[in-house]
């Protein structure tokens, strides 16, 4: 039974941010999670048959046995796609800021007031998975359209995405405006998910391809392509707004370090031949490698969840205190005889250099 004095107090929770959200350790955990998702995503059906397990039940040791990082160079690109997609979903500034610039230049009217984009992971290879294509279409709005680089009525998203999922064989049916849209890796839009732009992602700038329907390309910085947003035109006359992510001090540096950490763990657990000796993770990323190796017999899905938790660990601190109902004007509480719990955020600033 609460005393009269206790009834005159209200429990208030103050949330304080303890660290900057761009701290490198958490970012490495987040990117490592994306890479693991991509590796599991790319296990062929034949590989699952050999393992005699479903994709969701694959352990890290099993993944290491079927993964061939040295032979399958596409693994790095697949991980890069996932990392970019999840960086967009997580509003990572080093990816989102240049992407927003590219979207506004590709469609000035459609994205005039865009602050934060949304991303739909595509890739016609994934459309073969049961329910994947339907999930992509459901996640777009009912009135969703694709914005090609031509005038005229924008084509409906659901109809043309179904055709694009067929792959290169669908080109005759896709028509002149969308002929190469089957190469899309992501569809980006605003938060209403109404207007969509097709994005192609390559971990090597030399492999970037444009074509009708594709509007934005995302690649790492290159000696011939500085970080930022530029418009590239192919010999065929197709244009593409290219987002070059900073390397090595930006997102690409994080990705390469996390990929090296995951790759070393996969190589150890799968007993593969070591790769090039200079492709070693940094000391911080080596700690991720060591932890992954300890969880060899844990399901990758559970490791992904734990990495997601690690990416957000110790980000905030919650302090609960009892305050008198005679509180400052900015703190609105309920009736004195009721237990009112209010949440108040306390700003925290770092010292500027």
């Amino acid at each position: 039974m609460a005393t009269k004095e206790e009834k005159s107090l209200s429990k208030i929770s103050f949330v304080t941010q303890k660290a900057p959200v761009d701290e490198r350790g958490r970012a490495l955990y987040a990117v490592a999670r994306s890479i693991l998702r991509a590796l599991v995503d790319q296990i062929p059906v034949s590989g699952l048959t050999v393992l005699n397990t479903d994709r969701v039940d694959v352990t890290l040791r099993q993944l290491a046995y079927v993964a061939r990082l040295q032979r399958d160079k596409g693994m790095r690109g697949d991980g890069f796609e996932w990392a970019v997609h999840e960086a967009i979903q997580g509003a990572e500034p080093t990816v989102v800021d240049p992407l927003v610039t590219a979207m506004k230049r590709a469609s000035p009217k459609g994205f005039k007031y865009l602050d934060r984009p949304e991303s739909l992971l595509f890739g016609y290879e994934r459309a073969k998975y049961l329910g994947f294509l339907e999930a992509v279409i459901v996640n777009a709005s009912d009135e969703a359209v694709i914005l090609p680089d031509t005038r005229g009525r924008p084509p409906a998203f659901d109809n043309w995405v179904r055709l694009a999922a067929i792959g290169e064989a669908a080109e005759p049916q896709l028509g002149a405006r969308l002929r190469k849209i089957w190469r899309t890796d992501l569809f980006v839009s605003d938060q209403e998910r109404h207007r969509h732009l097709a994005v192609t992602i390559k971990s090597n700038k030399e492999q970037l391809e444009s074509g009708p329907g594709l509007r934005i390309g995302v690649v790492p910085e290159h000696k011939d392509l500085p970080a930022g947003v530029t418009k590239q035109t192919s010999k065929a006359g197709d244009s593409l707004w290219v987002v070059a992510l900073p390397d090595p001090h930006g997102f690409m540096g994080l990705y390469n370090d996390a990929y090296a950490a995951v790759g070393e763990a996969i190589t150890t657990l799968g007993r593969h031949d070591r790769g090039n000796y200079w492709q070693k993770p940094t000391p911080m990323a080596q700690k991720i490698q060591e932890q992954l190796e300890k969880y060899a017999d844990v399901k990758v899905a559970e490791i992904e969840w734990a990495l997601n938790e690690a990416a957000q660990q110790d980000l905030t601190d919650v302090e609960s205190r009892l305050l008198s109902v005679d509180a400052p004007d900015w703190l609105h509480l309920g009736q004195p005889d009721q237990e009112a719990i209010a949440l108040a955020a306390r700003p925290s600033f770092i010292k500027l250099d």
Side-chain angles (χ1 to χ4, degrees):
M1 187 75 176
T3 65
K4 183 178 180 180
E5 184 179 15
E6 289 174 333
K7 287 183 178 180
S8 67
L9 302 174
S10 291
K11 185 178 181 181
I12 312 298
S13 296
F14 292 92
V15 179
T16 305
Q17 182 173 311
K18 295 175 59 179
V21 295
D22 60 349
E23 191 269 321
R24 182 179 177 85
R26 282 193 291 272
L28 279 175
Y29 277 127
V31 176
R33 174 200 61 197
S34 300
I35 293 168
L36 281 177
R37 285 183 178 176
L39 292 176
V40 172
D41 181 42
Q42 291 304 311
I43 298 176
V45 175
S46 59
L48 294 174
T49 301
V50 171
L51 296 175
N52 192 29
T53 186
D54 294 327
R55 197 176 302 273
V56 295
D57 295 323
V58 172
T59 66
L60 185 58
R61 191 187 303 277
Q62 290 173 322
L63 172 62
Y65 281 143
V66 298
R68 295 293 183 268
L69 300 182
Q70 295 299 321
R71 293 200 317 231
D72 188 356
K73 306 301 182 183
M75 289 286 190
R76 186 174 184 276
D78 294 332
F80 186 45
E81 290 176 20
W82 271 98
V84 171
H85 166 66
E86 296 194 324
I88 296 171
Q89 295 295 82
E92 166 57 40
T94 57
V95 176
V96 167
D97 291 349
L99 179 63
V100 168
T101 299
M103 292 174 68
K104 288 183 176 181
R105 292 179 182 177
S107 180
K109 292 183 179 180
F111 300 111
K112 182 177 181 180
Y113 302 106
L114 177 67
D115 291 321
R116 177 178 173 179
E118 294 288 344
S119 172
L120 287 175
L121 191 68
F122 184 60
Y124 73 93
E125 304 95 338
R126 298 184 183 92
K128 301 172 185 177
Y129 298 161
L130 182 63
F132 178 84
L133 184 60
E134 293 302 324
V136 171
I137 293 172
V138 168
N139 283 334
S141 72
D142 295 335
E143 301 176 353
V145 296
I146 299 172
L147 300 179
D149 192 14
T150 54
R151 297 189 178 186
R153 185 179 181 84
F157 183 84
D158 56 351
N159 295 338
W160 295 99
V161 168
R162 292 180 193 277
L163 278 175
I166 298 173
E168 187 175 4
E171 281 195 14
Q173 302 176 63
L174 288 170
R177 294 200 297 171
L178 300 175
R179 184 164 291 127
K180 298 296 182 180
I181 203 170
W182 60 272
R183 290 177 175 164
T184 301
D185 296 310
L186 302 179
F187 284 103
V188 292
S189 66
D190 57 15
Q191 291 186 311
E192 293 180 353
R193 295 188 184 274
H194 179 57
R195 303 175 181 86
H196 291 75
L197 295 173
V199 180
T200 178
I201 300 174
K202 296 295 181 184
S203 59
N204 185 344
K205 175 255 183 188
E206 302 298 336
Q207 297 174 344
L208 188 62
E209 296 178 299
S210 59
L214 299 175
R215 304 297 308 280
I216 297 175
V218 178
V219 295
E221 181 181 357
H222 187 270
K223 66 181 181 64
D224 299 324
L225 185 64
V229 179
T230 57
K231 190 173 186 180
Q232 306 288 323
T233 303
S234 68
K235 294 181 180 179
D238 302 310
S239 62
L240 196 69
W241 286 101
V242 177
V243 176
L245 300 179
D247 186 18
H249 302 298
F251 182 77
M252 284 311 306
L254 282 171
Y255 177 77
N256 291 331
D257 203 13
Y259 189 82
V262 175
E264 285 293 307
I266 292 293
T267 299
T268 299
L269 297 177
R271 299 182 180 181
H272 303 302
D273 293 334
R274 289 286 164 188
N276 300 322
Y277 69 89
W278 62 82
Q279 294 178 329
K280 291 186 68 64
T282 62
M284 181 178 286
Q286 286 176 18
K287 294 179 181 179
I288 297 178
Q289 171 196 341
E290 293 171 358
Q291 293 177 86
L292 288 174
E293 292 173 2
K294 289 194 303 183
Y295 300 121
D297 298 313
V298 177
K299 294 179 182 179
V300 177
E302 295 179 9
I303 294 175
E304 290 175 10
W305 181 85
L307 285 171
N308 187 59
E309 289 293 301
Q312 304 175 58
Q313 63 187 2
D314 299 327
L315 187 61
T316 60
D317 187 28
V318 179
E319 178 188 0
S320 296
R321 283 184 283 162
L322 290 175
L323 293 185
S324 166
V325 294
D326 186 17
D329 295 337
W330 52 264
L331 187 59
H332 299 285
L333 303 177
Q335 296 297 325
D337 59 344
Q338 296 178 350
E339 287 193 16
I341 298 179
L343 194 65
R346 178 183 297 170
S348 177
F349 297 90
I350 61 174
K351 181 180 179 180
L352 299 177
D353 294 333

